[in-house]
Amino acid sequence: DQELFFHATCALGEGRQWMRALPLLQEAQQRRITPDVSCYTAAIRAFSQGTQPSHTLWLLNDIISIQLQPTERAYEAAIRSCGELGEWKRALAYLDYMFQEGLNANAFCTVEAMQTCAVCGLWSEALRLFHEMFEQVTRPVRSFSVSLEVCEQSGLWEEAIQIFEEFVNKGGIVEEDFVEPLLRACINAGQVGKVQTYLRELDQLGFI
């Protein structure tokens, strides 16, 4: 029955056996068992975890075409797949769909869209998502690190400092891979004095 297919598809996803997920859905249809959105979501995650981005997006579009409402997890996996394919427009479109459908575009979905924009060189778009996220959800650590990487790549050293200081002021735990984009952004802009100041402050605070 439906519940059995759901658990089987979940097991395939956890085992990264994406090749068996689609035949399982087809078998359900042949038996006249209509897979619900949970079954489709499990299959989407199986494809996503199996690094099959094209299959992931195809299956999400299939859900929409049969008028089922994708879950937040399905959208999250699809937006991540957009990043792997470099399809930033589709990633942003999925975020818009979530808002239109009244779904909660959680922080992880937004961070995946930020990452997609960053990979495609859309620095301003990635930072726009970061700043808009503040109005909607609590921003996760990953959103700060992605933003710092964007600032480094785009030469926005002053914005990098603002983002970093906001993170520290919120009690964030500073790690090496978090500090490096900030320091590189300052070095690339010729702000050697800023780098020296931050190194001294971080050393005093025990962060490095």
Side-chain angles (χ1 to χ4, degrees), residues 50-169:
T51 62
Q52 297 296 313
S54 296
H55 286 77
T56 303
L57 299 186
W58 171 79
L59 200 51
L60 180 68
N61 291 334
D62 193 42
I63 294 177
I64 296 173
S65 69
I66 61 176
Q67 298 183 338
L68 287 175
Q69 186 180 69
T71 64
E72 288 91 342
R73 285 191 170 188
Y75 274 117
E76 183 182 340
I79 293 172
R80 184 183 307 113
S81 295
C82 288
E84 295 174 20
L85 295 170
E87 295 196 23
W88 63 272
K89 288 184 179 179
R90 185 178 289 192
L92 296 180
Y94 285 149
L95 277 183
D96 288 338
Y97 291 154
M98 294 183 74
F99 287 121
Q100 292 171 13
E101 296 296 328
L103 294 174
N104 174 32
N106 63 43
F108 298 105
C109 291
T110 307
V111 171
E112 292 295 346
M114 284 177 59
Q115 186 69 58
T116 297
C117 291
V119 168
C120 295
L122 300 169
W123 317 125
S124 60
E125 197 65 31
L127 291 175
R128 178 187 68 80
L129 292 173
F130 173 76
H131 292 301
E132 287 184 355
M133 194 190 308
F134 178 72
E135 303 172 359
Q136 302 157 7
V137 294
T138 301
R139 289 182 289 200
V141 172
R142 182 59 183 154
S143 70
F144 284 91
S145 61
V146 170
S147 296
L148 286 173
E149 291 168 6
V150 167
C151 290
E152 176 198 349
Q153 296 295 326
S154 56
L156 299 173
W157 65 274
E158 291 177 307
E159 184 154 6
I161 289 175
Q162 293 175 357
I163 292 172
F164 180 80
E165 290 182 347
E166 178 187 347
F167 180 76
V168 173
N169 291 335

